[in-house]
Amino acid sequence: MTRGITGLSLWWLASPAAFVLSSVVGLTSRDRDPFWEMVSVVLLWSGVGGVVAAPAVGLLIAYRSGQRPARRRFAIMGAVSLTACALALLFWAFAMECAPGQTC
């Protein structure tokens, strides 16, 4: 159980790097090679899974195994992930607004 908890914690920690690498790979593959497009998509979904699934699954595993410090850690990870997702959605909503003087 402790290896699973450690693995999920590391997955969550690596999620921002997966997002950055996804955008770098996606932007640098100018010829739109299908292999690099697939790598970009896999990195993107790995980052999304790390942000969303890792805290939830880790909290479940920690709860079932009775590890109180791990439960606190995964609860904090979930709160940080939820805050980051809410801020990303808020930024997306503001980014989609029209500039002053433009018609949408």
Side-chain angles (χ1 to χ4, degrees):
M1 289 294 180
T2 59
R3 286 186 184 181
I5 289 172
T6 303
L8 288 168
S9 297
L10 291 175
W11 184 22
W12 183 79
L13 286 172
S15 294
F19 280 125
V20 170
L21 284 174
S22 171
S23 63
V24 167
V25 169
L27 292 175
T28 58
S29 62
R30 296 189 191 275
D31 58 352
R32 298 293 177 207
D33 185 16
F35 173 74
W36 291 110
E37 294 251 347
M38 183 183 66
V39 169
S40 177
V41 169
V42 167
L43 284 170
L44 177 68
W45 284 108
S46 173
V48 169
V51 167
V52 174
V57 173
L59 188 61
L60 181 67
I61 290 173
Y63 182 75
R64 299 283 290 181
S65 64
Q67 296 184 9
R68 187 175 212 103
R71 279 189 284 185
R72 280 194 298 263
R73 181 179 351 139
F74 283 112
I76 292 169
M77 287 166 50
V80 170
S81 292
L82 184 63
T83 303
C85 290
L87 288 175
L89 288 173
L90 184 65
F91 174 75
W92 185 261
F94 286 138
M96 292 296 115
E97 285 185 3
C98 296
Q102 282 185 333
T103 59
C104 294

